[in-house]
């Protein structure tokens, strides 16, 4: 299992704000390089859809803003790592200046346009790189509908992305903010249609009591293991090449770190788990308990590096 971090910041601030370093943070490429130097070769790079396509449906992406993402991703490609470009929209799209649910007629049209352009941009950037090194997430943490509603939309969008010639990984989210705990033997991950592949399911799992990622301390050393138990006990549809844990995090207290360590142990033992990216050091979230820097004295970083050694 690869392990790494979310290089957060590009998604910061209010949805329609657009001033770099003022309304949102632009992480330096050196931040990713610091994690790479520790052996943490996976990265997930969230972005804001409005900033990426400020002109709205049918218009080109903002080259400068797209360049922020690709500059963060480049060191991972050069290190033979793994990088995910992730639209941080929570089930909505905002490129026309308003927030629209992606399952509505208007929202789906905007979303298809957006994801087709994103697939084309990433395809052009990655060139002839190994398709297993680059991923595009369909959407961060959709939650407005059930999985049966999202399933046909994911199939439509996957087909549109593949039609551009994009052959990299596609990560598929599901409802309930992508919570790993929603799945079980009796409620397995739904299938999608991807005639090209590879396609993986992406789940999230914070270790605070309500799993929200607010940064509160865990109250149980088995919190993560319990939340993953149903997913890891269930079979994945053949359409998926594996599982990616796109977000996980906890504070540095002893119980939380033990919960993180136990979760990593469980994930590493399952060969279907391909990568895990910890929510970490976005400087605008410095007061959040999940904030972690590439400091090897931090017990959470020690847990990450110990996972790499297994």
């Amino acid at each position: 299992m690869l392990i790494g971090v979310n290089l957060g910041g590009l998604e910061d601030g209010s949805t329609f704000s657009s001033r770099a370093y003022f309304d949102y943070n632009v992480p330096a490429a050196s931040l990713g390089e610091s994690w790479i130097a520790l052996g943490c070769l996976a990265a997930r790079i969230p972005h804001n859809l409005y900033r990426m396509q400020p002109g709205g449906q049918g218009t080109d992406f903002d080259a400068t803003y797209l360049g922020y993402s690709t500059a963060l991703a480049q060191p991972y490609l050069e290190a033979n790592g793994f990088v995910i470009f992730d639209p941080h929209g929570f089930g909505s799209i905002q490129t026309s200046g308003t927030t629209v649910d992606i399952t509505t007629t208007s929202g789906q049209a905007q979303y298809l346009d957006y994801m087709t352009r994103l697939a084309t941009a990433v395809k052009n950037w990655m060139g002839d790189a190994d398709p297993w090194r680059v991923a595009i997430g369909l959407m961060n943490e959709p939650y407005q509908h059930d999985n049966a509603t999202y399933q046909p939309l994911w199939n439509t969008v996957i087909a549109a992305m593949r039609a551009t010639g994009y052959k990299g990984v596609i990560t598929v989210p599901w409802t309930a903010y992508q919570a790993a705990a929603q799945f079980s033997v009796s409620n397995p991950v739904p299938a999608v249609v991807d005639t090209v592949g590879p396609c993986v399911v992406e789940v999230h799992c914070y270790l605070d009591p309500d799993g929200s990622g607010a940064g509160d301390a865990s109250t149980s050393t088995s919190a993560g293991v319990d939340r993953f138990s149903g997913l890891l006990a269930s079979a994945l549809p053949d359409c998926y090449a594996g599982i990616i844990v796109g977000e996980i995090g906890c504070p540095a207290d002893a119980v939380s770190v033990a919960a993180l360590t136990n979760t990593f142990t469980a994930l590493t033992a399952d060969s279907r788990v391909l990568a895990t990216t910890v929510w970490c050091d976005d400087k605008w979230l410095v007061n959040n308990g999940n904030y972690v820097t590439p400091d090897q004295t931090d017990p959470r970083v020690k847990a990450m590096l110990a996972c790499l050694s297994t």
Side-chain angles (χ1 to χ4, degrees), residues 84-155:
I84 306 168
F85 293 87
D86 195 77
H88 227 66
F90 300 95
S92 297
I93 189 162
Q94 306 88 12
T95 64
S96 294
T98 58
T99 298
V100 182
D101 184 330
I102 58 174
T103 66
T104 64
T105 300
S106 173
Q108 182 168 329
Q110 292 180 53
Y111 180 53
L112 277 169
D113 176 72
Y114 187 89
M115 294 305 294
T116 301
R117 292 174 186 275
L118 182 60
T120 300
V122 173
K123 178 196 69 172
N124 292 341
W125 166 76
M126 64 186 286
D128 60 359
D130 181 351
W132 279 96
R133 298 295 180 189
V134 179
I136 298 174
L138 292 180
M139 174 61 64
N140 178 71
E141 297 188 348
Y143 67 92
Q144 296 98 325
H145 305 288
D146 60 18
N147 288 330
T149 301
Y150 284 117
Q151 191 171 23
L153 177 60
W154 300 153
N155 289 336

Side-chain angles (χ1 to χ4, degrees), residues 62-72:
D62 182 277
T64 299
Y65 189 78
L66 174 64
Y68 293 147
S69 289
T70 55
L72 289 169

Side-chain angles (χ1 to χ4, degrees), residues 22 51 55 74 104 111 143 155 206 215 218 233 243 285 290 307:
F22 185 88
R51 294 173 195 142
Q74 190 65 39
T104 64
Y111 180 53
Y143 67 92
N155 289 336
Y206 287 99
S218 178
I243 300 167
L285 299 178
N290 297 312
C307 176

Side-chain angles (χ1 to χ4, degrees), residues 43-47 69 73 76-77 81-87 115 118-119 122-123 125-126 129-138 161-162 166-172 198-200 202 244 274-275:
R44 181 171 175 265
I45 303 173
H47 66 260
S69 289
Y76 287 89
L77 208 58
F82 176 69
V83 63
I84 306 168
F85 293 87
D86 195 77
M115 294 305 294
L118 182 60
V122 173
K123 178 196 69 172
W125 166 76
M126 64 186 286
D130 181 351
W132 279 96
R133 298 295 180 189
V134 179
I136 298 174
L138 292 180
M161 293 171 67
R162 295 305 188 194
Y166 172 71
K167 296 180 180 179
V169 178
I170 294 176
T171 75
V172 182
C199 188
V200 302
E202 182 188 330
I244 286 175
L274 307 177

